[in-house]
Structures are given as structure tokens and as C-alpha cells.
Amino acid sequence: MAAAALERATAHLLSLQSDQGWWKGNLETNVTMDAEDLLLRQFLGIRTEEQTRATAAWIRSQQRDDGTWATFHGGPSELSTTVEAYVALKLAGDDPEAPHMASASAWIRDHGGIAASRVFTRIWLALFGWWPWERLPDLPPELMFLPKWAPLNIYSFGCWARQTIVPLTVVSAHRPVRPTPFPLDELHTDPADPFPTQRFASPTSWDGVFQRLDRVLHAYHRRAVRPVRRLALGQATRWIVERQETDGCWGGIQPPAVYSLIALHLEGYDLDHPVMRAGLAAFDRFTVHTEDGKRWLEACQSPVWDTCLATIALVDAGLPADHPALVSAADWMLGEEIHRRGDWAVQRPELEPGGWAFEFDNDTYPDIDDTAEVVLALRRVDHPDPDRLRGAVDRGVAWNLGMQSKNGAWGAFDVDNTSTLPNKLPFCDFGEVVDPPSADVTAHVVEMLADVGKARDPRTRRGVEWLLREQETDGSWFGRWGTNYLYGTGSVVPALVAAGIPTAHPAIRRAVRWLEEHQNADGGWGEDMRSYDDPENWSGRGDSTASQTAWALMALLSAGESGEVVDRGVAWLAATQLPEGTWDEPQFTGTGFPWDFSINYNLYRLVFPVTALGRYLHGVPRPDAVGHAARALPGPAPVPAADRSGGPVAGTSTAGTNTAGTGTAGTGTAGTGTAAAGGTAGTRAER
């Protein structure tokens, strides 16, 4: 049963590989991406009838029975998302009196109207006069003058927030208002008082302090010294242009891209300027067209992440390490290595570059998580140019070690990006705006370091100790970039075991017990996004999904577990597999901002089950005495007597992670698999 399921899944995964060697699943988020695309095009004067019709059809298809929109499958209605979707549909010509529009506007009014929506939504409305700029937090471009040691300088924000805030300082300085296409009186709780004044909080609270500071900034806006303001705008504009990637996007994600285009347009860049043309063309590459004529936008694209996960999964499934599909994937990943400094070098100016980003083109912001997983993937492939591969691996390892934060853990993009002040700004109500270390990223780095023979390195041990301290009292770990405690636990347990923590260690036993207690009656595991908002009731709870069931199984297998709990999880995967070899998973199991921005990675439902089934059938991979990828037998690993005290120990044991196993280049084990997808890797210039 498990073997047949793995064979079907492996064949399907191979069939999805591009002829250049990469994999990419669609990245679903919510309809604000589509609504804002129409509003951007309206603002720039380039909205077409075809784009509008196809986008509106998609937005309507995502509306719920009560007239609202949510931010994830099965989630609660969300005010700002509903406001933006409603405005986009009205822009498309939908009659406000039509049942689907009337139910949406009634719900919006019942939940506080536009005034209760997030700042980002009201910024979009301000662009068309539907909300006054005076009632929005001010972001002066003079922010660019703050040195990196000053509180609230641009580098105190996480990279995604930084890339968004800089162009918004330009927009905030200009405060543009395009002709209002129609009124939105029906979205106010009181049309006679559409812009209610917000009461100030206590001056002794952070909210009160920043509210009063914002009043000062608004006064400065009216009296800004013109040469100083012009200098600040020029610096912000140059910063934006310098960070445009070769594909025309900014950071490979939607928010910086849309606001950068608006900011540059306000600064005099016409639509025919090469920077503007490239930026708009990038959105075409982010557009997904459905078979029934609808159109929606990915907020981001994940080819590097998907490719390294697929490579690891296929090796775990039993493909030989020199299989053409794996070699092609490795070629492509090697071509994606980043060789220049980005914003990370502000905090690490002496560190040599070497790493990978998440997207096709994002050289400014390589990330620690992708780099760790790409290293693990490359070391699983028997590549015809081992020196080239070894050099890339060595640079990736060195870069990741250099990005360790002072507490011993790792964030996603930056070092020690832990200030609490940015999250307190009135502007920052759209999600997490800093990048502190997380358990899942730290776990992936720890496993990678163990895999390259650095389990006993003091820097690895500091990461291990941080992970042990971060364990929740119930035995789980919080998941920052995947949902949620299942992802965190599925990441940390394999990493700790790989780094030498014995499977009998109390931390591992508590995690195993938590996983066993949270298995669903059907044998699978699932966790709803609401665990970020209400962990007491939702931690480890939700409909069973293929990706989350795989995470649980990978943790249990790495902990040496076998028997009924594991067998029931495998049986659930086999029973729910679709005929073509994948799984149905409408649930969102990926995270951009916990609770505020949720993601459905369409390839998760395939790559993680392949990894889990492969490890169930073939054993969890681990490096043997000579560094080759051996297989641990299923079942509990023996614990040396000297390691039974339960404390952190150096050395290695069985390895594995929710995204990668251990092993080295040049080896592999035969097993299930099918013919490879053909083709060779494409370089950035060739793509």
C-alpha cells in the first residue's frame, strides 16, 4: 500500500519538473492580491477590460455565502479583504444593489466599515480620495536619513517590510489623489461622519506615544523644508531603483513591487521607462490564468524552495543520486547561487556572499532557510562536477554560519532583527514587520550543519541549546513559516536528532507524545491557521492534510518511532491519494505573517508525503562513518549509555527534517522511481 502510493507520487512529481530542472507549485494567498492589481492599473491608467473581467470573475468565485472573503480556506471572514474585494468588483462594474454586493457591504458596515480596516487598505482608498491622507499614519521620506544604529531606521524592519516602507515614504510625501471613479458611502457605518476621529491612547502607552508622534509628523509634512524633502525623496528613489531585480520585481514579492511602481511614477518615471516596463512585466509572470477564463496573481513564486524540497523527496523515495532529474535540478540550483552582497551585508559587512533566495530572481535578499535546504539537497546528488558543487555548498555553509544571531539562533533574512519598536508603529497593522529567529529556520540550519560534519561545532551547539529552550511546555515548537506547531515540531525533532540529541532525550519524548496526542481519528494530522490566533483551542488541531501528516510522520520516524501511530498516518496518506499520485489539499499550511497572511503552497501536498513515505519504506537517511548517505532501519535507534542522561550531547544520530534529510553528494540508494523529466538547467540569463 505505502510502496504503491510512493511510486505513484514519485512519478507524478517527476512529471512536474521543468525542462530547465526546477519545480514550482502555484502559491495561493487571498484576493487582496487581485483587487490591488486592478487598483494599481486604475491608478496608472492601464487597466484593460480583459484584465478586469477575468480578475473580477476570480474574485467573485472566492466570495463566501455570507458575502465576505477570507484570507485562507475555511477561515473566518476578514474585513480588509472584503473591503478591497468589494471595491475591485465595483471598479469592474458590479451593481452595488446586486445580492452579492449588497451582502458584502452590509457585512462591512456591521463590522465597523472602512474606518475599521487596516492601514494598507485605507492607503489604497486614499489614492482615489475615498479616505483622507490626513487620517493615515505619516511616513516621511526623511526616514532614509536615520543611521543604522538609530531606532526605527529602515534596517530595523524585516526585509519585506523595509522594501514596502521605503516606497511608501515617497507615496506619503506626495499624497496623490486620482479622480474618484464612484463614491463608497455604502461602506461607512455613518455616511454623515465617514472619517471618525480616533481617540488618543494614554501618553504613557506605546500606542499613545506613537499617536502623538504621528501628529507631529503630519505637522512637519505641511512645513517640510523643501530642499531636505527633495534630498530624502531622491535617496528613497535611488534605493528603490537599485533594488529592482533582473526580472523587474522587487524582492520577488507583491507589496514592494506595487508600491515601488507607484512611488517611481510619482517621482516622474513614465510608463515607458525601462524600470517601469520591467516592473509591470513582472506582474504578467505572476499571473495565473485558469481554464475557465479567470485570472489571479501569485504574491510570490517559490521555485528554489520547491526544487530543493523536490530533490530531497526524490532521493528519499529511492531515486539514485545520479538520476538525470536530480542532476538537472542540482545544475539549476547551482546556477541560482547568489554571488553579490545584499541588504544583509548592512549588519554583516565582512561576510562573503553565498546563498540562495526563494524566488527566480531575488539577489538582494537570499534567505537562510532556502540556503540550508539547498545545501542539504545538493549534498544528496551525485553531480558530474563535484568541485563546483562542493564550492557552492561550502559558500552556503559559511554564509549561514555568518548569519547566526547573537542568541545562537537564525532568522530568515537578517541578523539580530529583533527590535520590538517597529511593530508598535500605527502604520504596522498588516503583519509581522521584524525578522527574529524562529525555531523552524534554526532547525533547518542545525540539521544542515550536522549534515556537513559540524554537529560538534560550538555554533551548532548554541543553535541546539536555543531550540531546547524554545520548546513549548506541551512538547511542541512554534512554527513561524509553516502552520504551525506541527510545522515547528516537524522541523525541530529531526534536526535535534541529526545534531546528536538522543531519541530518549526528554525533549524528544515530549514532542513524540504531543504528536501522538494530536493525531486525528482518521489517522492523519492537521492544524488550522487559527492556531496562531487561538493556540489553546487550535494548536495541532484541524482537518487532516497531506503536508501536515507528512511533517508529523517525519518527526516520528526521526525519533525512531514505529507501530500503530506511524502506520495509521501512512495508511491515511495511501487511502487519500488521488489517482494521478498527488493529494487534494485546499487547506493553507504555509505562512507569510502568522495569522495575517496565509499561503497554500501547491507543491507541499506532494513533496512532503513523498519524503515521509520514502523514509517510512527505506529508513531515515543519515551520514555514515565515511560521509555517505546510509539508511537507518525503521524503528527506535539505539541510545548509547553515555547519552541517556537526557542532556545535550554532541555527535550524530538518525537524521531528517520536514524539508530535508541528511547525506552527502555522490551516493544514493535505488528504489522506486520512474524515468526522469528531460532537459538541462537554465541559467538566469537563459531563463
Side-chain angles (χ1 to χ4, degrees):
M1 177 175 61
L6 178 59
E7 186 174 3
R8 286 191 295 270
T10 300
H12 187 63
L13 181 56
L14 283 167
S15 75
L16 299 177
Q17 187 178 27
S18 81
D19 59 6
Q20 292 179 329
W22 47 262
W23 280 267
K24 188 192 82 67
N26 286 339
L27 191 151
E28 294 181 60
T29 54
N30 64 71
V31 297
T32 60
M33 299 297 104
D34 315 299
E36 291 170 10
D37 180 65
L38 290 188
L39 289 167
L40 170 68
R41 294 174 186 278
Q42 176 73 15
F43 182 85
L44 297 176
I46 58 172
R47 180 171 62 87
T48 69
E49 181 59 33
E50 188 280 328
Q51 291 164 342
T52 304
R53 179 199 58 74
T55 301
W58 173 258
I59 293 174
R60 287 187 213 102
S61 75
Q62 302 302 300
Q63 190 174 21
R64 295 142 58 96
D65 290 342
D66 63 355
T68 65
W69 286 263
T71 59
F72 61 90
H73 176 82
S77 303
E78 206 280 321
L79 176 63
S80 296
T81 306
T82 300
V83 169
E84 293 186 33
Y86 178 92
V87 173
L89 290 182
K90 195 168 181 180
L91 198 62
D94 287 23
D95 185 348
E97 300 300 321
H100 70 289
M101 296 289 279
S103 60
S105 61
W107 188 92
I108 291 169
R109 290 192 301 274
D110 289 346
H111 289 80
I114 290 173
S117 65
R118 64 179 181 171
V119 169
F120 266 46
T121 297
R122 285 178 282 135
I123 288 173
W124 280 106
L125 300 184
L127 293 173
F128 299 96
W130 289 313
W131 189 264
W133 285 102
E134 278 290 330
R135 297 295 177 89
L136 287 167
D138 190 68
L139 276 173
E142 288 82 357
L143 193 69
M144 299 297 297
F145 297 150
L146 292 178
K148 70 176 184 179
W149 51 261
L152 300 178
N153 76 88
I154 62 171
Y155 295 102
S156 65
F157 295 87
C159 74
W160 58 88
R162 180 188 320 141
Q163 297 169 84
T164 303
I165 286 170
V166 171
L168 277 176
T169 67
V170 177
V171 177
S172 181
H174 283 276
R175 298 188 176 186
V177 177
R178 292 290 188 262
T180 304
F182 42 75
L184 288 176
D185 294 345
E186 69 273 24
L187 300 188
H188 296 296
T189 55
D190 181 4
D193 183 22
F195 315 123
T197 302
Q198 183 184 20
R199 286 188 162 201
F200 275 13
S202 166
T204 60
S205 68
W206 280 114
D207 284 347
V209 168
F210 282 116
Q211 285 170 340
R212 288 161 176 81
L213 175 61
D214 185 61
R215 183 62 62 87
V216 172
L217 292 176
H218 275 283
Y220 173 76
H221 173 82
R222 293 189 291 272
R223 299 171 178 82
V225 179
R226 193 177 295 267
V228 175
R229 169 72 31 118
R230 192 66 252 161
L231 183 64
L233 285 169
Q235 188 168 323
T237 301
R238 285 192 300 275
W239 192 95
I240 295 167
V241 173
E242 288 169 359
R243 281 157 180 77
Q244 186 177 36
E245 297 292 340
T246 57
D247 69 345
C249 198
W250 281 267
I253 52 178
Q254 183 261 9
V258 293
Y259 297 118
S260 292
L261 287 169
I262 293 172
L264 293 176
H265 191 57
L266 294 172
E267 280 294 293
Y269 285 65
D270 62 45
L271 296 178
D272 288 329
H273 191 285
V275 169
M276 297 293 288
R277 284 206 312 269
L280 290 168
F283 283 114
D284 293 335
R285 290 189 288 275
F286 279 47
T287 301
V288 177
H289 296 276
T290 66
E291 293 182 357
D292 57 354
K294 300 182 180 71
R295 172 183 180 273
W296 61 275
L297 266 71
E298 296 178 281
C300 184
Q301 294 183 323
S302 54
V304 176
W305 186 242
D306 289 344
T307 301
C308 65
L309 297 183
T311 299
I312 292 161
L314 289 169
V315 175
D316 284 334
L319 259 68
D322 61 353
H323 192 287
L326 300 179
V327 173
S328 177
D331 278 337
W332 183 80
M333 286 186 283
L334 289 170
E336 291 296 300
E337 184 187 1
I338 294 170
H339 298 282
R340 68 174 179 85
R341 284 176 168 78
D343 277 5
W344 54 269
V346 171
Q347 299 298 334
R348 288 291 185 268
E350 303 303 320
L351 182 61
E352 289 298 318
W356 284 264
F358 185 76
E359 305 88 350
F360 281 118
D361 294 283
N362 185 8
D363 287 358
T364 309
Y365 301 102
D367 72 84
I368 291 161
D369 212 9
D370 273 272
T371 298
E373 295 303 325
V374 169
V375 167
L376 282 164
L378 290 175
R379 283 173 53 82
R380 305 292 292 281
V381 179
D382 186 357
H383 193 269
D385 189 348
D387 290 339
R388 181 189 180 203
L389 186 145
R390 190 178 305 112
V393 164
D394 290 347
R395 288 186 293 272
V397 171
W399 185 77
N400 261 11
L401 282 170
M403 295 296 287
Q404 187 173 30
S405 290
K406 58 190 174 186
N407 64 4
W410 283 266
F413 297 93
D414 286 304
V415 176
D416 295 319
N417 191 254
T418 57
S419 172
T420 58
L421 280 179
N423 280 326
K424 301 181 187 300
L425 290 172
F427 169 81
C428 296
D429 67 349
F430 62 91
E432 187 66 63
V433 298
V434 292
D435 183 18
S438 66
D440 41 8
V441 174
T442 299
H444 296 159
V445 176
V446 164
E447 185 181 9
M448 179 270 290
L449 293 174
D451 189 69
V452 299
K454 294 184 180 292
R456 296 177 183 270
D457 188 294
R459 294 165 291 186
T460 307
R461 304 324 297 169
R462 291 181 62 219
V464 168
E465 290 161 7
W466 185 88
L467 287 171
L468 291 171
R469 291 195 303 271
E470 287 295 303
Q471 189 175 25
E472 305 288 335
T473 56
D474 63 6
S476 65
W477 277 270
F478 178 82
R480 165 64 179 86
W481 296 97
T483 315
N484 170 352
Y485 296 96
L486 281 173
Y487 185 71
T489 307
S491 301
V492 174
V493 170
L496 291 178
V497 175
I501 298 299
T503 57
H505 190 284
I508 304 297
R509 291 298 100 203
R510 287 195 299 271
V512 168
R513 184 165 55 251
W514 182 84
L515 289 167
E516 291 173 344
E517 291 171 352
H518 287 79
Q519 187 174 30
N520 286 335
D522 60 12
W525 282 266
E527 184 171 1
D528 192 276
M529 285 287 174
R530 276 169 277 219
S531 65
Y532 287 113
D533 185 56
D534 183 10
E536 183 176 351
N537 291 309
W538 287 96
S539 170
R541 301 296 184 194
D543 295 336
S544 295
T545 69
S547 59
Q548 291 169 320
T549 297
W551 298 340
L553 287 172
M554 292 155 74
L556 292 170
L557 291 167
S558 72
E561 295 300 303
S562 60
E564 182 183 0
V565 171
V566 170
D567 290 343
R568 290 180 62 230
V570 170
W572 185 87
L573 285 176
T576 57
Q577 188 181 35
L578 298 174
E580 61 267 31
T582 189
W583 283 262
D584 184 28
E585 188 170 291
Q587 295 88 349
F588 284 35
T589 64
T591 304
F593 309 140
W595 182 244
D596 292 296
F597 194 76
S598 304
I599 300 171
N600 185 346
Y601 292 99
N602 279 204
L603 212 62
Y604 274 19
R605 66 192 68 178
L606 182 57
V607 292
F608 289 117
V610 168
T611 303
L613 291 171
R615 294 179 184 183
Y616 175 77
L617 290 168
H618 304 306
V620 178
R622 62 178 180 182
D624 65 16
V626 295
H628 292 169
R631 291 281 176 178
L633 294 176
V639 181
D643 292 347
R644 290 176 185 158
S645 63
V649 294
T652 24
S653 181
T654 52
T657 177
N658 70 312
T659 52
T662 58
T664 59
T667 62
T669 52
T672 60
T674 64
T680 57
T683 65
R684 290 177 187 272
E686 293 168 342
R687 193 169 45 242

